[in-house]
């Protein structure tokens, strides 16, 4: 695989899955920019050092992707400093889980803005450039729970399902111009998010996964690297499940 000399941007790039994606795309030859939330800037130096120790040269730019101004400013800063973006991975995401009965409008909006609207806010500023240059790879990180729904996640499941709707519609616009856009839908992946689960909840989840284990962030990064590859020219509008068989349809 190769992403040699491409500029790749990974939103939520300092998170569990984002870190693995940054590392893998750097290994494939891309120049990688991770974006982080402004509240994470105190962790940037340590994170960049850990990446260098891991043989990956990655830069970080901070910005809030959940607002139109935040997304536009972030992408403008990146393009001005590093040049045109060839590969964009929309990976930033949050959960605010609770039942329908208890969910507040704030919990709904936070998840829709961060997990779904962000894809629009971040992709739009660089979309025309990809079309004009005749090359682009946009990869949206959705979730198995956007495909099948999940108890206590009407906000998250709606946002993640919407993300693939965004992928499918935009794929038509990029198809004749060398720009592909695809979704990766992870199942349960071992990150800080899932490590925080109670042991009994975690065991029950693993018991329901046909492969009897959670996935590793590197397994998501592998799917992203495939879709980002220079040679992945004929795959667009797809939703690639990476879930250990948790949801087969
Ligand atoms: P994570 O919490 O480790 O990483 C998410 C990152 O997004 C964080 O670094 C966070 O700061 C950033 N972020 C959140 N809100 C932001 C905002 N408004 N602006 C900018 N950055 C923001 O989570 P993760 O487990 O690495 O998940 C990464 C993606 O994969 C998410 O979209 C998540 O929904 C999805 N996913 C995760 C799992 C899993 O099991 N971990 C499963 C399916 C899908």
């Amino acid at each position: 695989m190769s992403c040699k000399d491409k500029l790749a941007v990974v939103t939520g790039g300092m998170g569990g899955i984002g870190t693995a994606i940054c590392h893998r795309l750097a290994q494939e030859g891309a120049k990688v920019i991770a974006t982080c939330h402004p509240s994470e800037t105190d962790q940037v130096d340590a994170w960049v050092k850990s990446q260098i120790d891991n043989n990956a040269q990655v830069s970080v730019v901070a910005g809030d992707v959940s607002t139109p101004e935040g997304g536009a400013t972030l992408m403008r800063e990146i393009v001005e400093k590093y040049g045109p973006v060839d590969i964009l991975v929309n990976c930033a995401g949050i959960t605010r889980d609770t039942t329908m009965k208890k969910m507040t409008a704030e919990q709904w909006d936070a998840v829709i803005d961060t997990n779904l609207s962000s894809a629009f806010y971040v992709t739009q500023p660089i979309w025309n450039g990809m079309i004009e240059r005749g090359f682009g790879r946009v990869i949206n990180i959705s979730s198995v729970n956007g495909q099948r729904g999940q108890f206590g996640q009407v906000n998250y499941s709606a946002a993640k399902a919407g993300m693939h709707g965004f992928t499918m519609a935009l794929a038509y616009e990029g198809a004749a111009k060398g720009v592909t856009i695809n979704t990766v839908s992870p199942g349960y992946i071992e990150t800080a998010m899932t490590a925080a689960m109670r042991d009994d909840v975690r065991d029950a989840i693993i018991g329901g996964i046909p492969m009897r284990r959670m996935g590793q962030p590197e397994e998501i990064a592998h799917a992203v690297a495939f879709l980002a590859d220079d040679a992945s020219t004929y795959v667009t509008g797809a939703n690639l499940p990476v879930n250990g068989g948790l949801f087969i349809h």
Side-chain angles (χ1 to χ4, degrees):
M1 286 194 212
S2 175
C3 307
K4 197 162 167 22
D5 299 329
K6 298 290 192 296
L7 182 71
V9 173
V10 182
T11 72
M14 282 173 36
I17 292 175
T19 297
I21 294 172
C22 288
H23 188 214
R24 179 62 189 269
L25 292 179
Q27 276 183 341
E28 301 298 341
K31 182 177 176 61
V32 179
I33 315 296
T35 85
C36 71
H37 191 270
S39 64
E40 295 175 300
T41 45
D42 57 337
Q43 298 158 40
V44 168
D45 288 349
W47 185 83
V48 168
K49 184 177 177 309
S50 72
Q51 292 302 290
I52 291 168
D53 292 347
N54 245 328
N55 284 324
Q57 190 76 42
V58 181
S59 306
V60 180
V61 180
D64 182 352
V65 299
S66 69
T67 68
E69 308 76 38
T73 307
L74 175 73
M75 297 316 276
R76 193 172 52 243
E77 254 185 75
I78 290 173
V79 171
E80 280 173 10
K81 190 162 177 193
Y82 299 99
V85 177
D86 303 299
I87 299 165
L88 170 64
V89 185
N90 286 309
C91 184
I94 57 167
T95 52
R96 295 287 183 270
D97 296 355
T98 188
T99 55
M100 182 69 167
K101 189 175 166 186
K102 295 183 189 156
M103 189 171 291
T104 63
E106 286 73 22
Q107 289 168 323
W108 171 266
D109 287 344
V111 170
I112 298 294
D113 292 349
T114 306
N115 296 17
L116 174 59
S117 302
S118 64
F120 174 72
Y121 301 148
V122 170
T123 308
Q124 200 192 33
I126 58 158
W127 180 252
N128 283 347
M130 287 181 168
I131 296 288
E132 282 162 18
R133 290 190 306 282
F135 181 89
R137 300 277 185 266
V138 179
I139 297 143
N140 293 322
I141 308 300
S142 178
S143 167
V144 66
N145 292 340
Q147 298 177 288
R148 62 170 193 176
Q150 179 61 278
F151 184 92
Q153 287 197 327
V154 293
N155 49 3
Y156 187 82
S157 297
K160 292 299 193 182
M163 206 175 200
H164 187 54
F166 175 84
T167 293
M168 291 190 292
L170 196 54
Y172 287 105
E173 296 189 32
K177 307 285 184 187
V179 183
T180 68
I181 171 158
N182 291 287
T183 299
V184 171
S185 288
Y188 287 92
I189 307 301
E190 271 184 24
T191 65
M193 191 195 276
T194 47
M197 286 173 176
R198 278 196 341 246
D199 284 351
D200 57 326
V201 173
R202 194 184 149 81
D203 290 349
I205 287 171
I206 290 173
I209 301 171
M211 288 193 188
R212 297 286 183 264
R213 65 173 179 87
M214 289 199 183
Q216 295 300 315
E218 291 72 21
E219 292 174 299
I220 304 305
H222 184 67
V224 171
F226 163 71
L227 293 169
D229 193 288
D230 287 346
S232 292
T233 45
Y234 208 55
V235 184
T236 197
N239 189 352
L240 179 53
V242 186
N243 62 27
L246 179 59
F247 181 66
I248 296 173
H249 74 130

